[in-house]
Amino acid sequence: MGYYSQHKRIPLFNEKFDFLLFVQILKKSLWIFPMVIALASIIIFFYLRYTQPEYTSKSIVQINNQNETDRILKIESVHENSDLAQIVDLFRSKEFLKRTINKLPLKISHYVKGTILNNNIYRFAPFKVETNVKNEEIYGIPIYVSFNPDNSFNLQYTIGKESFNLRHTYGSWGDFNLADIKIKLLTSVTDEERDYFFIINNPDEILKQHEKNLQINILNSASQSIEISYTGHNAAMTAEIVNTIASEFLLYDIEKKKASARNIISFIDKQYAMVYKELGQTERRLQNFKKVNKIYDKEQIGFGHLQIFSTKMNEYEEQVLNIDVKLITLKTINDKIVNIDNVNIYELIALVSETNQAKVISNIITDLQELINKREVILNDVTTSNHQIQVIDKQINNQKIILSEIIKITVINLKERKNNLNEKIIEYEKELLETNNYDEIELARLERLYNINEEFYNKLIEKKAEYLISQAGYVSKNVILEIAEAQDPVAPIKGKVLFVAVIASLFLIVITLLFRYILYNDITSFKDIQNYTSIPIIGSVPVYKEKMSISQLLVHKKPNSMFTESFRTIRSNLDFINSEKKAKVIAISSTVSGEGKTFIALNLAGVLSLSKKKVVVLDMDLRKPRIHLGFNVDNKIGMSTLLTGKNVIDDCIRKSDLDLMDYITAGPIPPNPSELAISKKLGAVIDELKTKYDYVVIDTPPIGLVTDALANFKKADFPIYVTKANYSKRSYLYNINHLYYDKELKNLSIILNGVEFSKSKYGQGYGYGYGYGYGYGYYEEDKEKKENFLKRIFSKNKKA
């Protein structure tokens, strides 16, 4: 049965959170903290040094639409109770912003070139530029200005691959290919090292460029206040733009109100002309009638029924005349709603005040204007094909239809009322014909018409006078509560940048630690091995923290240390595995180099020799020999010369510092190490050595890289696979299990090298599956630590 059917999958990532492992990774990752801090400091420095500062200027406008003159004259204002949302839309409208932007010197931008950032010198440029653009290619191109001592200047600019450098005198227009340019020097230029340049802005882009930096918000609905704010890279420019918008609104408000009054006066003038003409005709007819009938005094005509009927007829005809005025007004409104996008809202509301349904129609017109303003604001960001615009267009059309229907119904009602009044007038005229002679009736009718026209004429004169006075008295009641001033930059702010940098650094560190933890698949302890294999672990070797000499044989130097005791435990566990009284072969390998197989081989051989066993170590890592380096000897002869027949065993055996421990180096690197490793000659050499020694320890090449070690593993009584804590990957256990299950090396065992027992999460004692264990705390280095600690305490007491 294969390995994969018997054991669970070895994960490539940490699937469970282990706090102690995380702490271990944290300690190993402490270098990340200063690195991130240094990196963050560098980024902060360059960000603060080379980021253009941003400035925000604010102004507050309080809205008050009441006209004092209108209040005194008791004229109904069409501007009162304006919705703040409508005024905000007015501020944002392209028409108003274009009007404001055109009053500012924004067509030309002046700069001083910097090393990295260019400085906008709005209003502080030592020269003034006027342009007449002939080719739009010049828009947005930096045009550099250099000043000459002979009252002339040079302009230099590049378009595509073509460069231009032209000279001209101050104060006169010059032809610079793509544009006519005139430059006037405002102040003398003393700093010749500064590079000045200007950019001609595209008129179609100026509004878009500044519109996105402008914010209009309702600050307080109760106090009718609106906040205007603008953010840009020049403090003076931001303040001037905001103040210009606020000031321009006051002028714009007055102009709109005066325009409304002018429209009303214009309407009155039209009615005035009509009534004046009718009054003149009626007066002439009345005079002719009196002249023909020789009527010189009103008392010559009797009254009675005539006077009563005349009064009634005057009243009805006056109503008919008022209805005619309303019908004309409604016809005017109906004609204008067809082109509602271009009509003045105040003019329509002014006309509506003369109709029966003034409030209803006025509300609909106001809703229409709101929809139109909303549509204009949205069109700044989208096209007419946008779904939101199409919905608004549909709402506008619906409002137009509703308004048209209301006007239509109102006109029908007025006409019906007019017909009723005309019928009553005819009835009165018939009754007068029956009781009076023709001359008296005609005279009464003419006088009635004259009086009605005269009265209406006088009312028109009175209204016109009132609106003329109102127009003259229009002063904006809107107040600028706060004037924008040049402020300190709002970005970048050092404190905020540092705060963000700290948060970002902590976030980066945490993410890095979590990422390292998730991807950390090293073997950290023997429990990691036990989780994924049932192969016995015969021991673990602690990290040797002291400075190591050239020789890697260390067990005889501190025989009572934790380090040496760990090899004694391995020796004892080998006895549990095989206690036969015969010479034994120990083959030691690992997955890759660097896991300490040579180190383990030398010190295991050393501890065996300390127990009165004769041991010989063979360096069979013929590709990368290490044994001779551990003993600081030459490598001229060894296993390679022995296996090729150049030398005999006795020629190659060398003595170590331990009496019972010998070794044979690898010898010169052969061209065919694999063939030598699996040759019969090696078996004969091992058999001969077994007659002379109790243990033959073979240091093989890494079995995960080459297959040479497999032959030695099969010959060995104790094939030992070395792993290293926090170095060997968990995936290496696949190879160990493959040898155990698929290659059937049932006597295979594992040693874990490089364990930090003082930090072990599993305690200081363990067993290996053979009933043997040990604990730490009674060894030489521990005693030394305690003695040093006690010495420090006593020395302090003596000083005290």
Side-chain angles (χ1 to χ4, degrees), residues 653-714:
I653 293 177
R654 304 189 185 196
K655 298 290 184 178
S656 71
D657 294 339
L658 300 177
D659 295 335
L660 299 178
M661 179 178 170
D662 298 334
Y663 63 94
I664 301 176
T665 61
I669 299 174
N672 56 342
S674 296
E675 286 76 4
L676 295 179
I678 62 176
S679 66
K680 293 181 180 180
K681 180 68 173 176
L682 176 61
V685 170
I686 292 174
D687 289 340
E688 185 176 346
L689 290 173
K690 287 171 69 175
T691 63
K692 299 179 179 180
Y693 296 93
D694 297 312
Y695 287 95
V696 178
V697 179
I698 305 175
D699 179 20
T700 71
I703 199 168
L705 301 178
V706 294
T707 59
D708 301 1
L710 183 57
N712 295 322
F713 260 35
K714 289 182 177 180

Side-chain angles (χ1 to χ4, degrees), residues 174-187:
D175 186 356
F176 292 89
N177 294 325
L178 302 180
D180 294 331
I181 299 176
K182 180 170 72 172
I183 291 183
K184 180 180 179 182
L185 196 62
L186 301 178
T187 59

Side-chain angles (χ1 to χ4, degrees), residues 620-795:
M620 281 302 297
D621 193 350
L622 302 180
R623 291 177 179 81
K624 194 176 180 181
R626 303 284 299 176
I627 295 293
H628 68 285
L629 298 176
F631 289 102
N632 195 23
V633 296
D634 64 80
N635 194 31
K636 294 180 180 180
I637 61 173
M639 292 303 298
S640 61
T641 59
L642 180 61
L643 295 175
T644 56
K646 294 180 179 181
N647 297 101
V648 295
I649 291 177
D650 292 338
D651 296 336
C652 299
I653 293 177
R654 304 189 185 196
K655 298 290 184 178
S656 71
D657 294 339
L658 300 177
D659 295 335
L660 299 178
M661 179 178 170
D662 298 334
Y663 63 94
I664 301 176
T665 61
I669 299 174
N672 56 342
S674 296
E675 286 76 4
L676 295 179
I678 62 176
S679 66
K680 293 181 180 180
K681 180 68 173 176
L682 176 61
V685 170
I686 292 174
D687 289 340
E688 185 176 346
L689 290 173
K690 287 171 69 175
T691 63
K692 299 179 179 180
Y693 296 93
D694 297 312
Y695 287 95
V696 178
V697 179
I698 305 175
D699 179 20
T700 71
I703 199 168
L705 301 178
V706 294
T707 59
D708 301 1
L710 183 57
N712 295 322
F713 260 35
K714 289 182 177 180
K715 294 183 179 73
D717 298 290
F718 301 111
I720 297 175
Y721 206 106
V722 176
T723 59
K724 187 174 182 180
N726 301 306
Y727 184 87
S728 302
K729 306 300 179 184
R730 285 197 295 262
S731 58
Y732 294 176
L733 297 176
Y734 279 120
N735 195 45
I736 299 175
N737 287 322
H738 169 70
L739 295 174
Y740 186 82
Y741 292 102
D742 297 336
K743 298 299 181 181
E744 296 185 350
L745 293 175
K746 298 304 181 182
N747 55 347
L748 183 65
S749 57
I750 301 173
I751 290 178
L752 180 61
N753 183 31
V755 178
E756 297 187 30
F757 285 106
S758 61
K759 301 177 182 179
S760 174
K761 58 184 176 181
Y762 303 110
Q764 294 182 341
Y766 53 87
Y768 307 111
Y770 294 97
Y772 186 88
Y774 67 89
Y776 298 115
Y778 299 97
Y779 304 107
E780 196 172 82
E781 59 264 47
D782 296 315
K783 291 179 181 179
E784 290 177 0
K785 291 178 183 177
K786 290 179 181 178
E787 290 174 358
N788 291 334
F789 177 70
L790 292 172
K791 286 179 180 178
R792 288 196 298 269
I793 293 177
F794 286 124
S795 63

Side-chain angles (χ1 to χ4, degrees), residues 52 111-120 142 144 195 197 233:
Q52 273 195 324
Y111 297 92
V112 171
K113 184 176 178 60
T115 306
I116 294 179
L117 298 178
N118 298 322
N119 184 24
N120 188 330
Y144 289 87
D195 293 331
F197 70 93
H233 297 298

Side-chain angles (χ1 to χ4, degrees), residues 51 116 166-167 173 185 197 216 232 247 274-275 297 556 610 699 722:
T51 298
I116 294 179
L166 304 171
R167 185 185 185 96
W173 287 96
L185 196 62
F197 70 93
I216 309 293
S247 302
M274 291 171 55
V275 174
D297 195 331
H556 64 295
L610 291 175
D699 179 20
V722 176

